[in-house]
Amino acid sequence: MSKVERRVRSLVREDGEMRDALETVLEHASGGEVRWVDVRDEITSGQWGRLIEKEILIDGEEGFALADREGIEAGMRDDDSGGSDVETPETTSWSKWDKLAGLATLGAFVGYAVGPVRNAIAGAIDVVLGPLLNVVPFYVVIMVIALATGLYSTLLRAGLMDMEKMSAYQDRMKNIQERRKEAEKRDDDEALDEIQEEQMEAMGDQLGMFKEQFRPMVWIMFLTIPAFLWMFWVIGYRGSTAAYPAVADQALVVPLAGTVTWDTGIVGPIQMWILWYFLCSMAFTQLVQKSLNIEMSPSSS
């Protein structure tokens, strides 16, 4: 199988409309060359650019020549050699609100290191959460925050992350790996070269998966960081003064560690309140997912 044939098969697999574009180019290249002006009404500039980029069209005397007509025609035939039949999903684009949430999240991160920013954000959150400290113990307030975190993180991931696209990304990579193993067993060097080229082109799938996963995380952090900064502010952390000293000095008994306070380091720098929050958050997140019957992992077909 020639390089041109492999490139044509790869293009047709990635975008079914490229087959029509190739047929148009072949039809107008009956004299050996084709010019953009001859096909611009039938194919897009993006398709034309892809053909040049993949060196299916090469420089000619007056326009562009076909690199290998026979290879192009062979690549356009139905592939029964075990090629991938998994289409690459279109990457989800971020809206302006997603980008604004990302910028706001980066700004909120500054609060961990800059006192005035932390105090401003925590003071605003204290208007809502502060009154709870006069009604219920601090550990209950943390449980309320963890429950809210588990609820909106589950709903945001379910609403913003396209599980079908995630499954499609995984299916394509799995298909490539399986065909590589089969080609290695057959010692089929030509098939391995084709799969290697396809695998390099599929590296963009990794970026697509990252964007799908990170989009809901931006909104989750956008909502969670202010609440986390408020807990930092209440207890005091890394030398900062506790806004509620009575809460920070409250004694409680926990397994293995014995009598501690909320600002006691349990595992290295991890204080008791942080450990309690993460335990509650993991438990409530699982509870919410099971209760709402929401699957957070993509399923392969």
Side-chain angles (χ1 to χ4, degrees), residues 43-44 74 106 187 206 233 243 269 280:
I43 69 174
T44 67
L106 290 176
D187 291 329
Q206 303 297 326
W233 182 71
C280 293

Side-chain angles (χ1 to χ4, degrees), residues 7-269:
R7 291 168 183 166
V8 169
R9 290 191 185 279
S10 176
L11 283 176
V12 172
R13 278 196 296 265
E14 291 177 5
D15 183 358
E17 294 182 357
M18 286 301 299
R19 183 186 298 274
D20 295 333
L22 284 163
E23 290 176 351
T24 300
V25 168
L26 288 175
E27 180 181 348
H28 287 82
S30 56
E33 294 188 4
V34 61
R35 299 175 300 171
W36 166 241
V37 68
D38 299 328
V39 297
R40 64 185 180 184
D41 293 332
E42 301 178 58
I43 69 174
T44 67
S45 58
Q47 292 171 333
W48 178 259
R50 289 284 285 164
L51 295 177
I52 297 174
E53 178 188 359
K54 290 293 184 179
E55 296 183 352
I56 295 171
L57 293 177
I58 57 177
D59 289 334
E61 294 183 2
E62 297 182 357
F64 287 89
L66 302 177
D68 180 2
R69 175 179 282 271
E70 293 182 356
I72 294 172
E73 292 175 344
M76 291 171 61
R77 298 191 191 104
D78 291 337
D79 185 9
D80 298 326
S81 61
S84 173
D85 57 356
V86 180
E87 296 182 359
T88 303
E90 182 181 353
T91 302
T92 301
S93 59
W94 283 29
S95 68
K96 65 177 182 180
W97 300 111
D98 296 328
K99 296 174 183 177
L100 288 173
L103 290 175
T105 300
L106 290 176
F109 265 120
V110 177
Y112 287 106
V114 180
V117 176
R118 180 172 61 250
N119 293 337
I121 296 175
I125 300 299
D126 191 58
V127 175
V128 178
L129 297 179
L132 287 177
L133 292 175
N134 300 322
V135 179
V136 294
F138 185 57
Y139 74 86
V140 176
V141 176
I142 294 179
M143 291 175 67
V144 172
I145 295 173
L147 176 59
T149 301
L151 179 60
Y152 65 65
S153 64
T154 299
L155 295 177
L156 284 170
R157 290 179 64 191
L160 297 179
M161 192 163 63
D162 193 327
M163 291 300 173
E164 291 184 0
K165 289 185 179 181
M166 295 290 292
S167 298
Y169 285 129
Q170 292 189 356
D171 287 343
R172 188 184 185 202
M173 297 305 296
K174 183 179 179 181
N175 180 277
I176 292 174
Q177 292 171 359
E178 290 176 350
R179 289 192 291 116
R180 172 180 284 278
K181 291 179 181 179
E182 293 174 359
E184 289 174 347
K185 291 179 181 179
R186 300 193 308 267
D187 291 329
D188 190 340
D189 292 336
E190 289 186 357
L192 284 172
D193 290 342
E194 179 184 358
I195 294 170
Q196 178 66 28
E197 187 172 340
E198 184 181 349
Q199 194 168 24
M200 293 298 294
E201 294 171 353
M203 291 300 291
D205 289 358
Q206 303 297 326
L207 178 60
M209 289 185 66
F210 177 77
K211 289 180 68 176
E212 287 289 340
Q213 293 172 331
F214 193 66
R215 186 185 177 206
M217 286 302 301
V218 165
W219 286 99
I220 292 170
M221 290 187 292
F222 173 72
L223 297 172
T224 302
I225 289 176
F228 220 72
L229 286 175
W230 178 78
M231 290 186 285
F232 268 75
W233 182 71
V234 169
I235 299 300
Y237 192 66
R238 295 180 179 176
S240 62
T241 303
Y244 291 81
V247 174
D249 295 336
Q250 181 183 0
L252 60 154
V253 179
V254 298
L256 301 179
T259 302
V260 298
T261 58
W262 287 114
D263 58 357
T264 299
I266 301 297
V267 182

